Amino acid sequence: MATMQAIRFHSYGGSEVLVLEEAPRPEAGEGEVLIRVHAAGVNPLDWKVRAGHVKAWLEHRLPLIPGWDVSGVVEAVAPDVTNFKVGDAVYGMLDFMRNGAYAEYVATQTLHLANKPNSIDYTQAGAVPLASLTAWQSLFEVAGLESGQTVLIHAAAGGVGHFAVQFAKWKGAKVIGTASASNKDFVRVLGADEVIDYRSTRFEEVVSDVDAVLDTIGGDTQERSWLVLKKGGILVATLGVASPEVARQHGVRGEGIMVHPDAAQLAQIAALIDAGKVRPAVSAILPLAEAFQAHELSRTGHVRGKIVLQVVG
């Protein structure tokens, strides 16, 4: 059996369970392509899966290769695949229930992929899929954000947040973001009309009557966010809505979101990137062997933009 270098974990636990080792090289099954991985984006989901925090809804067979953001080159295609060919540069969000992209190769269904944006390199492209799709689907599929509306985006400098600011601005919305003082200028450059330092200012004291809130934090931040929505407004939460009854008391809606792969949305996002409307921010690039360090950085919850593992130099 052909093998490859991959990061795997054989039991749930801390970052020390991540091991760089030889693993079976996958093959492209029906409707699939085999990708030579150039870069793998790192998301909070990665370390949450590794730590066993999401076993209730994502039960994996171990050992597992994490990492569900990928950019790379098509190495092989199944006989029934017609929309990609060997040599195509692609990027995409992989199936959560299968092995991921912390490896030299990964096989995936073509419906999870789109052509890589031409204007950015593989490392930058690896930062895009999961976070950008989360932002896109939160704002447009769930919240239905329209031009002229106002949106409050929490953690606006983070992986999901920095894409959400750019998407909302492109759509023609007024954008308010929360961020640390050190990230205020960064968020303004992304296009935010107003940036609130969450450490020095309670956002609910200076924000009101917004049409939508994007909450990637939960907890106290979510509870205080109900206060800033106008009647009929909506809060979209990536970690779920803790108090639906509180939302109803305020005359607003609360919706959780579970991101899903969407090749058409990835193609549209790639077009926005190539048009200069959106740009991924990568704060750290680490080699595959340092995946444990990438997980430790991600766990801090204070990453500007994204962390990416570089597989091909």
Side-chain angles (χ1 to χ4, degrees):
M1 177 180 291
T3 62
M4 64 178 180
Q5 287 282 294
I7 292 286
R8 297 199 293 183
F9 59 91
H10 294 253
S11 61
Y12 296 112
S15 58
E16 71 278 358
V17 302
L18 297 173
V19 181
L20 180 63
E21 61 187 6
E22 291 290 317
R25 175 174 158 174
E27 296 181 352
E30 184 177 350
E32 294 184 344
V33 300
L34 179 69
I35 299 171
R36 174 70 168 100
V37 178
H38 282 232
V42 177
N43 295 286
L45 176 68
D46 301 4
W47 63 262
K48 290 177 181 179
V49 169
R50 184 215 70 221
H53 293 337
V54 296
K55 285 192 292 184
W57 54 279
L58 286 179
E59 183 63 48
H60 294 97
R61 181 181 299 174
L62 302 183
L64 182 71
I65 302 171
W68 293 279
D69 267 342
V70 67
S71 71
V73 176
V74 175
E75 180 86 1
V77 300
D80 62 332
V81 170
T82 59
N83 52 338
F84 292 103
K85 64 183 185 303
V86 172
D88 282 349
V90 296
Y91 80 139
M93 175 186 149
L94 305 175
D95 185 343
F96 290 147
M97 297 308 299
R98 295 177 56 176
N99 278 321
Y102 289 14
E104 293 179 312
Y105 296 91
V106 68
T108 187
Q109 295 180 324
T110 60
L111 56 83
H112 293 186
L113 299 174
N115 292 316
K116 182 185 78 67
N118 294 319
S119 60
I120 58 175
D121 61 25
Y122 287 100
T123 302
Q124 292 172 305
V128 175
L130 193 150
S132 70
L133 286 173
T134 301
W136 186 277
Q137 291 165 16
S138 296
L139 294 177
F140 304 137
E141 284 190 358
V142 182
L145 189 68
E146 298 286 352
S147 177
Q149 292 186 319
T150 300
V151 59
L152 172 63
I153 297 170
H154 288 303
V160 173
H162 90 286
F163 282 115
V165 169
Q166 296 176 85
F167 291 156
K169 198 61 186 175
W170 163 75
K171 192 69 171 181
K174 177 182 177 182
V175 181
I176 305 170
T178 64
S180 64
S182 61
N183 282 324
K184 287 184 74 172
D185 288 344
F186 170 69
V187 176
R188 286 193 183 278
V189 170
L190 293 175
D193 299 282
E194 183 180 346
V195 186
I196 299 167
D197 177 0
Y198 67 87
R199 290 193 175 105
S200 64
T201 304
R202 292 182 69 85
F203 64 84
E204 72 274 19
E205 295 178 355
V206 295
V207 177
S208 62
D209 291 327
V210 304
D211 297 281
V213 173
L214 176 54
D215 168 33
T216 60
I217 301 173
D220 177 65
T221 296
Q222 183 176 113
E223 290 303 309
R224 291 154 52 206
S225 293
W226 302 119
L227 304 171
V228 308
L229 284 161
K230 65 173 54 174
K231 296 296 183 183
I234 183 171
L235 179 146
V236 183
T238 60
L239 301 179
V241 176
S243 305
E245 67 279 1
V246 175
R248 288 191 292 269
Q249 289 169 11
H250 286 281
V252 299
R253 293 178 294 143
E255 297 286 347
I257 180 173
M258 179 64 180
V259 63
H260 56 85
D262 191 304
Q265 290 175 359
L266 282 174
Q268 189 166 0
I269 291 165
L272 288 174
I273 291 171
D274 286 340
K277 304 294 185 183
V278 174
R279 196 77 177 175
V282 177
S283 62
I285 302 169
L286 298 170
L288 184 63
E290 294 182 19
F292 70 95
Q293 178 65 23
H295 278 214
E296 289 302 302
L297 284 173
S298 179
R299 281 192 65 219
T300 68
H302 296 291
V303 175
R304 177 187 287 189
K306 293 294 299 293
I307 303 164
V308 179
L309 295 175
Q310 190 169 45
V311 182
V312 173

